[in-house]
Structure formats: C-alpha cells, structure tokens
Amino acid sequence: MCGIVAYIGQKNCVPLLLEGLRRLEYRGYDSAGIALVQNGSIGVYKKAGKVAELVSAIGASNGELKASLGMGHTRWATHGEPNDTNAHPHWDQKREIAVIHNGIIENYQVIKTKLAQEGHIFETATDTEALAHLIGAMYERTGNLCSAVRMALAEVEGTYGIVVLSKHDPDRLVAARKGSPIILGVGDGENFVASDAAAIVDHTRQVVYLEDGEVAELTREGFRTMTIDDVKTDKVIQEVTFELSQIERGGYDHFMLKEIHEQPETIKNGMRGRLLIEEGNIKLGGLQHVMGRLLSARRIVITACGTSWHAGLVGEYMFEQIAKIPTEVEYASEFRYRSPLVNIDDVVLVISQSGETADSLAAMREAKRKGATVLGIVNVVGSTIARESDGGVYVHAGPEIGVASTKAFTSQLTVLALISLMLARQRGMTKEDGIVLARELATIPDKARQILENTEHIEAIAREFKDVKNFLYLGRGANFPVALEGALKLKEISYIHAEGYPAAEMKHGPIALIDENMPVVFVVPKDAIYEKVLSNLQEVRARRGRIIAVVNEDDHEVEKLAEFVIRVPRTYGFFGPILNIIPLQLLAYHMAVARGTDVDQPRNLAKSVTVE
Ligand code: G6P
C-alpha cells in the first residue's frame, strides 16, 4: 500500500528518493510523486502510473533536479481515482507546505467544508489535501511547522503516517504516525523518514519506530519526538538486521520466484535453534513468559487476513490434532466489528507477515481490550503487531517483496507446527512421540528443496491451461486451506477466476461447473482421508473435468484418474501443507508469466494493507 520516503541532509536527495520509491514499489501503488525544497520554494512532481513514468516525466535521470530536503510517495488510491492530480504530495492553500500521507482521514469532508467556508479551494478528490490545508491554516496561526502539524492532527479522525515540509523551513521535516507505520532513519549529518525500512536500508541501519500518536521533527543534525500534545517522548535507536541483497532479485526474473525458491532456507530459519530433536521438544523464547496462560487457555482464537488467514486455518488442524486445544479461526476484518465474546481465558493469536495489516492490528487491540492474552506470529521484526502483542514468534522468513505471499506462508505454517508440538509436549505427549514429530519436521526443508529441483513439468501444465477462464481447487482436512491458498495465488497474479473448496463439498454446488473445460486441482496426499478424496476425483472424472493432482511420490492410484500429476515427498498429514502448497505457488507463478501479467506488482493489490 502507499509508501513514504523522505530525506534531510547534505546530499542531493533526488536519486535517493527515486530509488527509495522503487524499493517501495512492491507494496502496491498506482501513482507516485516527490516534493523538493529548492531555493526557498517547493517543487512538486507527480504522475499516475509507475515510478519509471515519474522519472521520465521529471527528467530526473538527467540530473536536472537537486535538493538536500525532499520526500517521495507511492499512492494506492482510496479517495479519488489514481491520476496525476490525486497523486501525492499535496499542497496547502498557499502552496507553501507539502504533505504526503498513508492512511485515511475519516473526517476529511468536515474539515474541507469548514475550510471552504474560510475561502479554501480544493483541487483534488483526496482526503490528504484536506489535511494539507488544515496544516497550512494552523501554520498561519503559529508560524511553526511542528506546532501546526500537531494542532492539525488534534482535529483529525482516522489513520495516518505523514511527512510534511515547508518552503519557510528548509532545515526541517516533520513526520507523525497513527495507525500507519513510520520509521526514522538516523544517519550522520542526515536523517530519513520511511514507511518501511526497505526504502532507506542502503543508507542507514539505525532506525527509530514511531508509536501511534507521536510526532517527530527532523533536522540534518538530529531529531526529537513528542506526542500530539507536545509531551517529549524518549526513543531507542534500533538496528535493522536484514541485508540489502535480501530485498533484491538476485538473478531471478521476479521476487515471487526468488521467494518461492528461498523456502527450503526460510523454513529452516524458522526452526533454527527452536527444534530440540533429541528432547522431542521445542523452545520458543517469545512464548516462555506466557506459557502458563497458553496452557490454561479455554481456547485459542486465530485471527488474520488473506494468506495469513489460510495459515491460521491450517493452524487450527495442527492445534486441535497435535496439541488437542480447541481452536477457532476468524477473519480479522469480521472479528474486530462483531463484538467478539473474548475474555481473559482466551488466547488470541494474530498471524501477519507485515505486522501492520490494519484489520489484524485492530482485531488484536480489540482482543487485548477485552482482557485476552494476545500473541503474534509475525515476519517483519519491530512491526506494530510484534511490538503490541503480549508475546509471540517471529517466522524469520526475511523480507518478502512479492505481493503474492509465498515464503511467509510456509514459514507461518512451520511456526504453527512448532507451537503445536511445544504445547502437545506440555500437555502430555511423550518424549518418544515428540522425537518422531521433531525428526520429521527437520526433514521438511530438504523435502521442499526436492520439489524445487524439478519444476519444468509445472511450467508445461501452466502453458497448457493459461487461457482457461476458471479453476477449481479441492483438498480435504489440513489441505483444504492449501486449496484456498492455491486458488488465491492464481487469482492474485494471473487474474483467472479460481475457487478453493473442501473436496467433499464440491457436490453441493461447484460440481455444476464441471465439464471438459474445467480444470480441477486436487491436493491429495496419502493421508488418513486419501481414499475419500479418491472418490471425489472419480466424481470429477465422471464429468470429464480436467484433473491436475498434487500427490505423493509413491502414489500410483491418482495417475489413473488425473491428466497431470505433480509429485511431492511424503510427510505427516498435518505437516503436509508446508510442502503441498509449493507446487501450487509455482503453478500460479508460471500461469501468470505465460499470460504476461506483472507478477511482482499485480493490479489493484497491496503488499501491506494499512487501511481497513
Ligand atoms: C495483503 C497481501 C496478502 C496478505 C494479506 C495479509 O492482502 O497482499 O499477501 O496475505 O495482506 O497481510 P499480512 O501482512 O497481515 O500477512
């Protein structure tokens, strides 16, 4: 979703801002812009479309623009269509102050109406322009940029991560945060603001995370932070741990493909130091202090969005089957608004790659407010969900840039498996049984590697089906969420309509769709319900549906019914989803490539959805 990068220092910031915007492209956006303070005035350059179009529009590649104070933004449209006018930065009434903003100003109409009565004229359909004008109006009163921002924010309802600069103040940047992440990058004689460390990590690794309700004033020499009411706050400078190479494509055509191929390593990273094979046990430092509450929990409620929600569905099978703990899974967007019956006996587990998804964060806060213990399974270190939860586990998948989530999903499943085994041992599973499960978990990275060693047959299947209009994905048990996730991957990046269904439910509706034009992807490993899924395969075959089946390497039954089989190594039923999803990620990827869609920046999608 929208991205922010800003700079105050000694250098010419134009290349730095444009490079920062490129690094934020993965978040999803539809227009981009920069504002530069030069010779006592502000230049704003903005354009619908990609950063590359902004670059050619301003001719910055020729080095024509120079400034040592500036900011850049990628916009994902909420209010007003994605065109040049609605792109950020936005001006105040006098065109002396410029603002970039992530989030939504909910009372922008009220603000606009009031200011219009005072003579303000608005040029865009955005909520952000109302905020820019409000800051301008406050500046008229105070003549101080930071105070003007604080006073304006005191009147605002909604969410924001903002950066503000003024032509009167060539030595100052002001940033603020509520609900949309903002980090400060601390350099030597220079300072940065970004919505995401990826934008600034090649310049500084020293960062400060702003909290909701905090405002920061940055100069070349330093920064200070305060609340909206002007109470000074103390911040700790933290170190960003990921490497630049992790946010680059490293020889792959797309980030998504790179991230699919990283999975043997990322799954292993999720287990590193946590899997105690000889003890048949698991050590998760972030859960030790809440173990008592976890073990006495009446139930676990998992809440999440998108792919993370699918991971939660697999988690439900794992928690109930391995650890024997009642578990429910809810969409965070539904959970937050339906007055959930949650109390102090519940553990609410939020799963989020980014740790910033607005609905997941709100669901977590709601559960916390009601007294539940809230835990996070998060990828991005230092993200809001990670910081606000009572405890949790990082999945350690490293930065995920591809909008279609892949490695984060398998890492989430790995961590859910670890938690299940840990709880099972605490609840009476024998050491011997624990050793058997721990040994099997340790084999998963190598098994993932085997799947990725030979993917040509998956490419061939993708070419065969690239022009179809619909796909059905079926699975049972813990592989039903795999079917959902496989269908989601296909929708997201190839724009083919795809539905995931529990295989046995097919006959209650979707079977009406099946004919010789309908490809049906079955996930059918040799587990406890294998025979049942075989019957569902027969039902599709009888109606001439075209079957693609993900099967185990030693399966010789399904090939008699399916047109194509994709083989994966065998593992225990509840660990199977970690492997079974990999061919479906590859199938979606190769379908998208065959159809020529923009795999890493699919239309309309955002990597991190920070608005509700
Ligand atoms: C967006 C992304 C999805 C992701 C979902 C939840 O829709 O495009 O890939 O699954 O948000 O994100 P989270 O960061 O909370 O896992």
Side-chain angles (χ1 to χ4, degrees):
M1 207 152 259
C2 306
I4 282 176
V5 57
Y7 176 83
I8 181 164
Q10 322 291 339
K11 295 187 205 127
N12 173 19
C13 65
V14 179
L16 181 153
L17 293 179
L18 294 172
E19 183 53 29
L21 290 182
R22 275 191 213 100
R23 295 216 185 271
L24 294 171
E25 284 189 303
Y26 79 96
R27 295 168 65 97
Y29 73 109
D30 35 48
S31 59
I34 58 172
L36 306 169
V37 178
Q38 303 161 293
N39 312 322
S41 68
I42 303 178
V44 167
Y45 310 85
K46 50 191 197 169
K47 196 83 195 131
K50 301 289 180 202
V51 174
E53 289 165 58
L54 173 71
V55 171
S56 51
I58 62 180
S61 44
N62 303 328
E64 288 164 20
L65 296 176
K66 286 200 172 58
S68 61
L69 170 60
M71 61 188 187
H73 188 262
T74 48
R75 171 178 188 248
W76 186 85
T78 57
H79 296 61
E81 62 180 82
N83 56 26
D84 293 357
T85 311
N86 290 332
H88 297 212
H90 289 291
W91 292 110
D92 75 321
Q93 173 72 12
K94 289 181 137 183
R95 292 189 159 241
E96 293 179 346
I97 290 170
V99 176
I100 54 177
H101 165 225
N102 294 355
I104 293 178
I105 305 298
E106 287 167 4
N107 59 339
Y108 79 105
Q109 286 292 11
V110 178
I111 296 170
K112 265 179 140 172
T113 309
K114 193 166 148 238
L115 292 173
Q117 282 160 4
E118 294 166 18
H120 285 242
I121 296 166
F122 294 92
E123 296 170 353
T124 80
T126 66
D127 51 336
T128 304
E129 192 187 17
L131 176 60
H133 278 237
L134 187 60
I135 294 171
M138 297 302 183
Y139 187 82
E140 292 285 287
R141 287 201 223 161
T142 63
N144 178 302
L145 189 63
C146 193
S147 308
V149 170
R150 286 193 291 96
M151 286 162 68
L153 293 179
E155 293 192 13
V156 155
E157 285 164 23
T159 56
Y160 49 81
I162 56 167
V163 183
V164 187
L165 47 77
S166 157
K167 78 169 206 178
H168 301 295
D169 224 336
D171 301 315
R172 209 167 308 276
L173 268 178
V174 178
R177 160 191 173 140
K178 185 181 162 205
S180 257
I182 286 284
I183 60 175
L184 313 181
V186 184
D188 187 9
E190 57 183 9
N191 288 303
F192 305 78
V193 184
S195 52
D196 178 328
I200 56 170
V201 73
D202 40 355
H203 304 287
T204 181
R205 297 187 156 275
Q206 309 293 308
V207 299
V208 169
Y209 296 96
L210 281 199
E211 299 294 336
D212 277 353
E214 272 185 324
V215 179
E217 188 179 41
L218 297 94
T219 60
R220 289 175 175 79
E221 291 73 38
F223 69 91
R224 62 185 193 100
T225 57
M226 69 220 82
T227 64
I228 289 175
D229 307 326
D230 202 17
V231 177
K232 177 178 177 293
T233 58
D234 292 322
K235 305 302 291 180
V236 179
I237 297 179
Q238 299 185 35
E239 174 108 4
V240 174
T241 48
F242 64 76
E243 295 299 325
L244 199 54
S245 61
Q246 288 180 278
I247 53 170
E248 288 172 343
R249 282 212 306 269
Y252 286 92
D253 287 345
H254 298 97
F255 281 112
M256 183 182 177
L257 188 62
K258 175 184 173 227
E259 288 159 5
I260 289 173
H261 279 272
E262 280 172 1
Q263 290 177 111
E265 202 51 41
T266 50
I267 294 168
K268 201 181 218 161
N269 286 344
M271 298 184 199
R272 189 160 285 138
R274 296 168 166 176
L275 191 61
L276 311 176
I277 297 183
E278 299 318 317
E279 294 166 39
N281 214 337
I282 304 294
K283 191 174 112 200
L284 293 168
L287 295 182
Q288 290 312 313
H289 63 293
V290 288
M291 191 65 86
R293 281 185 273 169
L294 252 174
L295 290 171
S296 61
R298 188 170 59 111
R299 58 173 184 160
I300 295 177
V301 179
I302 301 178
T303 189
C305 303
T307 289
S308 299
W309 182 74
H310 293 155
L313 291 177
V314 178
E316 181 178 18
Y317 284 92
M318 290 175 173
F319 286 174
E320 295 205 333
Q321 289 190 18
I322 308 177
K324 315 282 182 222
I325 299 183
T327 306
E328 287 163 32
V329 188
E330 287 236 30
Y331 282 117
S333 53
E334 293 299 314
F335 180 85
R336 65 181 291 194
Y337 282 122
R338 66 167 185 80
S339 279
L341 295 176
V342 174
N343 62 37
I344 51 168
D345 299 329
D346 292 317
V347 167
V348 174
L349 179 58
V350 184
I351 306 179
S352 176
Q353 186 286 127
S354 62
E356 301 292 351
T357 302
D359 284 321
S360 304
L361 181 56
M364 183 179 90
R365 287 176 176 162
E366 174 67 6
K368 201 169 184 178
R369 201 178 60 78
K370 292 197 157 157
T373 300
V374 294
L375 305 176
I377 295 183
V378 173
N379 189 32
V380 177
V381 175
S383 56
T384 311
I385 291 175
R387 284 182 288 129
E388 290 191 18
S389 53
D390 297 320
V393 186
Y394 281 122
V395 303
H396 294 317
E400 189 179 65
I401 307 290
V403 170
S405 181
T406 52
K407 64 174 181 172
F409 180 68
T410 47
S411 293
Q412 289 164 345
L413 298 186
T414 303
V415 164
L416 287 162
L418 296 180
I419 298 175
S420 307
L421 180 50
M422 179 190 75
L423 293 177
R425 283 299 315 280
Q426 297 277 341
R427 291 166 71 94
M429 177 186 275
T430 63
K431 179 177 172 184
E432 289 66 35
D433 286 350
I435 289 175
V436 171
L437 289 180
R439 282 206 176 124
E440 181 56 30
L441 266 176
T443 68
I444 298 285
D446 266 344
K447 289 178 176 171
R449 184 166 290 115
Q450 285 172 43
I451 297 172
L452 291 163
E453 268 162 13
N454 175 14
T455 63
E456 277 147 30
H457 61 305
I458 300 177
E459 283 180 54
I461 299 170
R463 282 194 296 273
E464 171 76 21
F465 289 98
K466 77 176 176 41
D467 295 319
V468 303
K469 301 259 179 297
N470 299 290
F471 254 85
L472 193 58
Y473 284 68
L474 302 174
R476 293 187 79 158
N479 287 300
F480 158 51
V482 173
L484 291 176
E485 175 62 9
L488 179 67
K489 289 298 86 123
L490 191 69
K491 273 184 275 212
E492 283 179 315
I493 55 168
S494 71
Y495 317 146
I496 294 174
H497 170 243
E499 273 190 68
Y501 243 80
E505 271 296 302
M506 173 192 62
K507 52 188 168 298
H508 300 293
I511 200 165
L513 301 171
I514 292 173
D515 62 15
E516 63 280 10
N517 297 316
M518 183 67 158
V520 183
V521 179
F522 272 93
V523 187
V524 50
K526 280 198 170 172
D527 58 14
I529 42 176
Y530 173 72
E531 300 291 340
K532 306 279 177 202
V533 188
L534 278 188
S535 311
N536 303 137
L537 269 145
Q538 294 279 11
E539 290 155 9
V540 172
R541 174 70 188 253
R543 287 157 186 87
R544 301 183 176 200
R546 301 185 68 184
I547 298 173
I548 304 158
V550 176
V551 300
N552 285 139
E553 52 206 350
D554 56 344
D555 190 305
H556 298 295
E557 289 305 312
V558 176
E559 64 194 27
K560 296 176 192 155
L561 298 166
E563 192 176 340
F564 298 96
V565 291
I566 305 171
R567 297 188 182 277
V568 295
R570 242 175 136 144
T571 182
Y572 294 136
F574 20 74
F575 300 152
I578 310 176
L579 298 175
N580 300 338
I581 190 59
I582 296 175
L584 303 188
Q585 296 168 341
L586 285 164
L587 181 64
Y589 172 79
H590 288 298
M591 295 275 284
V593 170
R595 289 163 65 84
T597 58
D598 188 345
V599 173
D600 282 333
Q601 290 167 43
R603 69 184 181 203
N604 302 340
L605 297 183
K607 179 71 187 154
S608 178
V609 179
T610 48
V611 296
E612 62 172 285

